[in-house]
Amino acid sequence: MDTTAIVTETTHHLQPLISDLGLILMTAGVAVLLFKKIKQPLVLGYLIAGFLAGNHFDFFPSVTDIKSVEVWAEIGVIFLLFSLGLEFSFKKLMKVGGTASITAVTQIFSMTVIGYLVGQWMDWTKMDSVFLGVILSISSTTIILKTFEELGVKAQNFAGIVIGSLIVQDIVAILMMVLLSTIAVSNQFSGGELMQSVLKLVFFLTIWFVGGIFFIPTLLKKAKHLLSDEMLLIISLALCLMMVILAADVGFSPALGAFIMGSIIAETTQAEHIEHLVKPVKDLFGAVFFVSVGMLIDPQTLYEHTIPVVILSLITIFGQSISSTAGALLSGKPLKESVQTGMSLSQIGEFSFIIASLGMTLHVTSSFLYPIVVAVSAVTTFTTPFMIKLSTPFSEFLANNLPRKWTKNIERYSANTQAIKSVTNWQIVLHAYLLQVVLVSVIIIAVILLSSKFILPLVQEYEYGNTLGAFITLVFLSPFLWALSLRRVAINEVEKLMSERKYRGPMAMMFLFRLLLTTFFIGFLLNIFFSPKIALIALIGATVIYFIFSKKLNAQYHKIEHHFLSNLNARELATPKRSQSDLSPWDGHMAYFDISASSTIAGTTLQKLQLRELMGINIASIKRGEVMINIPKKNHRLFPGDEICVIGTDTQVKEFKNYLDQHETEVPDVTTEPEIVLRQIELKNESYIGKSIKDSKLREKTSGLVVGIEKKGKRILNPESDILLEKDDILWIVGNKKLLAELVHN
């Protein structure tokens, strides 16, 4: 074939891809301008614009090759999930707490069951019904966060619960994608295969996360002085695509690889900078993805399935709202916050598209499911801002009209579930033990598998090659084998348990199990390189040598562990993050604001500002550079650059925000300071009963402030200092974390 023919053929394949991309971007640009003007979510604009620009309408420019649209959509999914991973981080998942986890799990389980039953009721196939249930169970992170920003409700207390729930939903959605892929391939609901898929996912997630945290932050740190913004962006995207290839090679979705790499980079000290650099790429390919999704909708299919679209839209709006509200109530949140949380989560979005396209790609779902899902998403995207706006008045309506017995029980349940719960020594030891065994075992298994695949074929042709290969692998594994068998965990708690006779047996069994598991792994490795008899002899020798060099292995493992933990915690050490307090009196919560250089209240004393008297706001702390002023006195002044922590209800915080805006003050995102906490304490100590708040010296003992008190169901916010304390009163105190903990345990 001559050069001209090659160029002609290349151009023939290239032109539709480029022309379709141009059409997609032009359509997205028009959607941005129009929907910004009418103040509607951009995602909805992208979907509608893509729908109109698809090849089903002659009066608009249309794509020439539907396959190229699918290519751009897949690329869009990869970069969209990479950016979601950058905002995610696995450590955030560990910090979201029980409230968000219970809310998310309740919602996902309920909607999956409801979706499946509705699909069966509409005479859909079993596979269509399964996919429908999962699709309807995942709310949209993109839509909710953008709507929160547009409505300015990020400072409200329920927003933290919603964002935490979305974090849990994201990782559950990834798990669902793997499980659905397994079901689709086998075309049956095999418990064994599902369990195998879950274990496979956990195994690779652990290896990727541990390996990624060990190497990637080190790479970025060592090369920091060489990395310009351009190079950092290129390396970040290269790492993303590398993980995409790895995920595809082991049988997972490419989108999973992108999400995992994003979450690994999210733990580095340069995460915020990379997120900033990737944002234009995310916005570009996010627009490409959503417009492409719209282009794949067939209007004829929508017309034929109008009734299912209406039914599923209503089920999504009401089902998501009710199940999320129930989950929040179950986790112990008050009625108002629970309703606000539930009504905010009443939509489906990007993960639903991805799961629907997964079914279409695997050819296990009907052709009508994808356009129906997109239509339901468009409807629920449009209703999301209205649901969030209506959540507050509707929650107040319920509080005023539900039977008093119901609301009282909800309030009491909320107060009881938010009380401080102690963790037993046995729970601490068991948690540390399981984490150690699982994590180290996964690393050992991965190294053995890699050794059998890459080292064994290289050395087995030589005379002593097998011995050399086994020796190299054992040397590399030896610190981890030592950690699995002999490393002490939760030392103080173990000593306390060993002093109690009933725990000595279980503790001994746990230690013996670790030794046996270590011996098994050594034997398994040696059996790969040698015959069983030689492997048994080598096992005895390796075990003896292993115990002789125990101290050196101890030092080597701790060196590896220190490097991993320093990488894992580097971002927090560089830029401490603060989490929203779950302990809030009713609607009150902690919020942070900055005093700008142009603020007219700068230099004014707290006594003169009278924030508590005018707005009911309490100043919990003032951060001035490296200096922290906890529970400031009335003669303290506010200065430009101060970061102040305030406590108040949603309404009071909003009023205070407006107050700052009127004084030309910039307001950052809501955060909280870990040194000062808001805590609920049920009064049991006899020494306080019968005394006034002032005489009890609670302020002095906690370096804090009593901001709320509940007496026999009656609530008082900002109580006067002369109020007498009675038995079973519930106090809400903001103060020093350590001093409050001592007060609770006294």
Side-chain angles (χ1 to χ4, degrees), residues 243-507:
M243 187 60 79
V244 164
I245 295 170
L246 285 175
D249 285 345
V250 297
F252 292 131
S253 164
L256 171 63
F259 183 84
I260 296 303
M261 181 51 68
S263 65
I264 291 171
I265 293 178
E267 305 295 354
T268 67
T269 55
Q270 300 190 55
E272 287 89 352
H273 187 44
I274 293 173
E275 189 176 342
H276 174 73
L277 294 175
V278 170
K279 188 177 185 302
V281 180
K282 177 196 76 171
D283 292 340
L284 170 65
F285 284 101
V288 168
F289 170 67
F290 289 115
V291 172
S292 302
V293 167
M295 287 182 171
L296 295 174
I297 302 173
D298 185 352
Q300 182 63 33
T301 304
L302 284 184
Y303 176 76
E304 294 173 358
H305 296 86
T306 303
I307 294 177
V309 169
V310 174
I311 292 173
L312 294 176
S313 297
L314 293 174
I315 287 173
T316 300
I317 293 170
F318 292 104
Q320 293 271 41
S321 298
I322 294 170
S323 60
S324 300
T325 300
L329 286 172
L330 190 63
S331 70
K333 281 297 173 184
L335 178 63
K336 181 179 179 180
E337 289 178 29
S338 299
V339 173
Q340 289 174 316
T341 300
M343 294 181 69
S344 299
L345 292 166
S346 58
Q347 74 293 113
I348 58 175
E350 59 278 0
F351 267 116
S352 300
F353 300 151
I354 295 166
I355 293 169
S357 63
L358 177 67
M360 189 170 63
T361 303
L362 295 173
H363 306 291
V364 294
T365 56
S366 303
S367 58
F368 60 78
L369 181 61
Y370 192 85
I372 286 177
V373 168
V374 176
V376 171
S377 175
V379 172
T380 55
T381 299
F382 180 76
T383 60
T384 294
F386 301 102
M387 295 292 287
I388 295 174
K389 288 178 182 178
L390 290 172
S391 64
T392 301
F394 183 67
S395 64
E396 292 172 353
F397 171 80
L398 287 178
N400 294 329
N401 290 274
L402 285 176
R404 177 56 189 160
K405 184 179 179 181
W406 293 12
T407 56
K408 190 174 180 180
N409 287 337
I410 291 173
E411 291 165 1
R412 179 58 60 183
Y413 177 75
S414 174
N416 290 338
T417 54
Q418 292 185 53
I420 303 297
K421 294 184 176 67
S422 60
V423 180
T424 65
N425 290 328
W426 175 249
Q427 289 174 314
I428 294 172
V429 170
L430 195 60
H431 178 268
Y433 172 85
L434 289 175
L435 182 64
Q436 176 83 4
V437 170
V438 172
L439 188 62
V440 177
S441 295
V442 168
I443 295 172
I444 292 171
I445 292 170
V447 172
I448 292 174
L449 293 177
L450 289 172
S451 178
S452 64
K453 185 173 182 179
F454 296 106
I455 295 180
L456 182 60
L458 289 176
V459 300
Q460 61 184 359
E461 296 178 0
Y462 302 99
E463 185 176 355
Y464 297 104
N466 285 19
T467 304
L468 179 63
F471 177 75
I472 292 172
T473 309
L474 273 175
V475 168
F476 187 85
L477 280 179
S478 55
F480 302 102
L481 292 169
W482 173 88
L484 179 61
S485 58
L486 298 177
R487 182 175 181 265
R488 299 175 68 188
V489 295
I491 298 172
N492 294 331
E493 288 77 10
V494 169
E495 289 178 355
K496 292 177 183 177
L497 290 178
M498 291 300 288
S499 64
E500 300 181 38
R501 189 170 184 177
K502 64 178 180 179
Y503 288 113
R504 292 174 186 171
M507 296 297 294

Side-chain angles (χ1 to χ4, degrees), residues 125-170:
T125 65
K126 185 172 287 188
M127 198 62 71
D128 284 338
S129 300
V130 170
F131 271 80
L132 177 65
V134 176
I135 286 167
L136 296 185
S137 68
I138 308 296
S139 300
S140 172
T141 303
T142 305
I143 294 168
I144 290 174
L145 292 182
K146 286 187 176 181
T147 306
F148 276 1
E149 290 176 4
E150 292 168 3
L151 297 180
V153 297
K154 271 192 171 182
Q156 295 194 22
N157 205 21
F158 75 93
I161 310 170
V162 173
I163 293 171
S165 298
L166 291 172
I167 290 172
V168 178
Q169 286 189 35
D170 285 346

Side-chain angles (χ1 to χ4, degrees), residues 57 107 118 293 669:
F57 296 97
Q107 173 189 336
V118 169
V293 167
D669 289 340

Side-chain angles (χ1 to χ4, degrees), residues 656-708:
F656 183 64
K657 177 181 178 296
N658 294 334
Y659 173 81
L660 293 178
D661 288 341
Q662 291 169 6
H663 291 80
E664 301 179 352
T665 303
E666 296 177 359
V667 185
D669 289 340
V670 179
T671 53
T672 57
E673 178 62 45
E675 293 302 323
I676 191 121
V677 295
L678 184 61
R679 185 149 293 175
Q680 176 198 47
I681 298 173
E682 190 166 351
L683 199 60
K684 296 289 187 183
N685 195 320
E686 296 287 344
S687 62
Y688 296 113
I689 296 172
K691 294 182 179 180
S692 65
I693 294 176
K694 182 179 180 180
D695 294 337
S696 68
K697 304 293 183 182
L698 285 171
R699 179 184 177 109
E700 292 78 6
K701 291 178 180 178
T702 62
S703 294
L705 184 68
V706 178
V707 295

